C-alpha cells in the first residue's frame, strides 16, 4: 500500500468519524429537545462543528433521521442473525423476547421511537427506513415461527406473519407502558408477557 492510498484512507476515516460525531450529537439533541425543537445550529454546537460543516455532511434533519435508521438496521442485524440460529425454536423465541424487550426498553430507544413515530406519521419518507427495519425483523421472526410449525413445536393454526408482528407489538407496547408508569419493566410484567406469547403460539 503506497503513501497516497494511506492518506486517502485516513481522510475517509476522518470523514466517517466526523459524520458519526455529528449523528451522535443529533441524537442527543433529539433526546433532549425533540425533533422539531432541535435546530441544525443546536446540533453544530453540540458536536463542536461549524454550521457549514454540518450541512456538508447532512443536508437536513430529515437526512439525519434517515442515517439513524441505518444505525438501527445495523443493531437489528444481530437480532435477525440470532433468530436464524439452528436451535430449538421455543428456546430462541424465549431468549429473543428477553433481548428485544431489553433493547426497546432503553430510555433513549423509547424517546427516539416516539419522536420518529410522530414525524413518520406526518412525513412517510422519514419513517420509511424504520418501517423497513421492522419489516426485516418481523420477517426473521416469521421464519422462526414457520420453522417451529414445521417441527410441530408451534401451532399451525396461526397466521405466521401476523403472529410475528403482534409479538413485536406486545414487546414494544410493554416497554412503552412501563416507561410511562415506573420507568422500567417489572419482572411480573415480563413473566406475564412471555407466558402470553408462549401460550398463544406453542402446541398445547
Amino acid at each position: 500500500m503506497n503513501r497516497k492510498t494511506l492518506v486517502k484512507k485516513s481522510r475517509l476515516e476522518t470523514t466517517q468519524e466526523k459524520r458519526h460525531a455529528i449523528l451522535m450529537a443529533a441524537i442527543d439533541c433529539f433526546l433532549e429537545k425533540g425533533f422539531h425543537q432541535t435546530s441544525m445550529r443546536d446540533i453544530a454546537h453540540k458536536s463542536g462543528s461549524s454550521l457549514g460543516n454540518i450541512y456538508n455532511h447532512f443536508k437536513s434533519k430529515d437526512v439525519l433521521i434517515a442515517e439513524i435508521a441505518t444505525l438501527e438496521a445495523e443493531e437489528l442485524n444481530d437480532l435477525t442473525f440470532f433468530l436464524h440460529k439452528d436451535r430449538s425454536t421455543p428456546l430462541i423465541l424465549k431468549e429473543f423476547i428477553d433481548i428485544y424487550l431489553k433493547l426497546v426498553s432503553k430510555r433513549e430507544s423509547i424517546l427516539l421511537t416516539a419522536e420518529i413515530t410522530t414525524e413518520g406519521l406526518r412525513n412517510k419518507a422519514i419513517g420509511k427506513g424504520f418501517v423497513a427495519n421492522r419489516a426485516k425483523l418481523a420477517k426473521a421472526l416469521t421464519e422462526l415461527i414457520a420453522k417451529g410449525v414445521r417441527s410441530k413445536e408451534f401451532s399451525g393454526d396461526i397466521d405466521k406473519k401476523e403472529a410475528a408482528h403482534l409479538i413485536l407489538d406486545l414487546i414494544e407496547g410493554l416497554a412503552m407502558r412501563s416507561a410511562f408508569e415506573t420507568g422500567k419493566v417489572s419482572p411480573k410484567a415480563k413473566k406475564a408477557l412471555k407466558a402470553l406469547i408462549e401460550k398463544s403460539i406453542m402446541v398445547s
Side-chain angles (χ1 to χ4, degrees), residues 127-167:
K128 186 176 179 181
F130 297 94
V131 170
N133 289 345
R134 196 180 192 276
K136 183 177 179 181
L137 182 60
K139 182 175 182 291
L141 187 53
T142 300
E143 290 167 354
L144 176 74
I145 294 170
K147 180 181 174 183
V149 171
R150 289 193 299 271
S151 64
K152 302 188 184 307
E153 294 169 301
F154 293 159
S155 171
D157 297 330
I158 56 173
D159 183 303
K160 294 178 280 293
K161 182 177 179 181
E162 285 301 322
H165 279 285
L166 286 168
I167 288 171

Side-chain angles (χ1 to χ4, degrees), residues 56-123:
N56 283 337
H57 291 282
F58 301 99
K59 300 299 182 185
S60 66
K61 286 192 290 181
D62 288 4
V63 176
L64 277 162
I65 288 286
E67 191 79 7
I68 293 172
T70 300
L71 281 182
E72 182 190 66
E74 293 172 358
E75 188 172 35
L76 293 180
N77 278 340
D78 290 339
L79 268 178
T80 56
F81 177 78
F82 176 80
L83 287 168
H84 285 119
K85 283 189 172 183
D86 187 19
R87 296 169 60 195
S88 160
T89 50
L91 181 59
I92 291 175
L93 179 60
K94 287 178 183 179
E95 293 184 12
F96 170 78
I97 294 169
D98 287 331
I99 296 168
Y100 192 54
L101 182 59
K102 183 178 180 180
L103 176 66
V104 297
S105 297
K106 293 178 181 178
R107 182 176 180 275
E108 59 269 26
S109 176
I110 291 171
L111 287 172
L112 274 177
T113 297
E115 286 292 326
I116 291 164
T117 300
T118 302
E119 289 306 312
L121 289 171
R122 295 193 185 103
N123 182 350

